[in-house]
Amino acid sequence: MTDHRQRPRRRGQGELEALVLSALREADGPVTAGWVQERLGGGLAYTTVITILTRLLAKGAVTRERGGRSFAWLPASDEAGLAAQRMRRVLDAERDREAVLASFVDGLGPDDERLLRALLGRPRDEGEGEAGDGDGDEAGDEAGDEHEAGGEE
């Protein structure tokens, strides 16, 4: 006899991470993993939430601070900053940066190309992060320099 019960839909790669980041962005400040679990509902196990938060921490997408015996979590940046961070990681993984950047620019539509040229043409402020992403994460620039020099964070 075959069991015809419906299995829950399997989430796509990165879907849980996106949901957790979205919940963190909705928070007024640092929150616990329990808060995230409650916010997401849907029967996610607490250990699953911790696993996702830990993965996001390793990727630099979230930060945490000690709050008693546990941690309070918050997003490291806004969505634009996180997307820029992913783009830099991809670029950093390639040997021929010039070829990758040239291919990227060649694939841009006219509006995006104009926007990129305008962004590149404006002066960089001391307080801004890389490429004017506005996340103010100058420590990320230093960490990248250490990485290229063979050091670890």
Side-chain angles (χ1 to χ4, degrees), residues 65-85:
E65 50 192 51
R66 180 67 69 182
R69 291 175 38 185
S70 63
F71 289 104
W73 303 83
L74 61 159
S77 181
D78 61 10
E79 285 187 63
L82 290 173
Q85 184 181 58

Side-chain angles (χ1 to χ4, degrees), residues 2-153:
T2 306
D3 188 358
H4 293 289
R5 281 184 280 173
Q6 205 62 0
R7 283 188 182 189
R9 180 184 72 80
R10 186 163 174 86
R11 290 181 175 88
Q13 184 177 4
E15 189 176 340
L16 271 180
E17 289 180 359
L19 290 171
V20 168
L21 277 171
S22 178
L24 289 174
R25 280 191 207 99
E26 292 173 7
D28 291 332
V31 294
T32 64
W35 184 93
V36 173
Q37 180 190 23
E38 266 182 46
R39 188 67 164 203
L40 296 179
L44 273 182
Y46 180 80
T47 54
T48 300
V49 174
I50 291 291
T51 298
I52 297 301
L53 287 166
T54 304
R55 286 181 187 165
L56 290 169
L57 180 67
K59 293 177 180 183
V62 300
T63 61
R64 67 182 183 183
E65 50 192 51
R66 180 67 69 182
R69 291 175 38 185
S70 63
F71 289 104
W73 303 83
L74 61 159
S77 181
D78 61 10
E79 285 187 63
L82 290 173
Q85 184 181 58
R86 287 192 304 272
M87 292 166 69
R88 284 190 297 269
R89 270 200 311 265
V90 168
L91 184 60
D92 288 345
E94 298 299 324
R95 283 190 328 197
D96 191 347
R97 294 174 75 89
E98 184 176 346
V100 172
L101 285 170
S103 181
F104 177 75
V105 170
D106 287 345
L108 291 176
D111 291 341
D112 286 337
E113 186 176 341
R114 271 191 295 281
L115 176 59
L116 183 57
R117 288 185 189 283
L119 290 170
L120 291 172
R122 75 177 191 203
R124 283 179 66 160
D125 293 337
E126 289 295 318
E128 282 189 357
E130 198 168 310
D133 63 8
D135 69 2
D137 185 15
E138 293 171 0
D141 296 341
E142 294 169 12
D145 294 343
E146 289 173 12
H147 178 70
E148 289 179 13
E152 291 198 25
E153 297 177 37

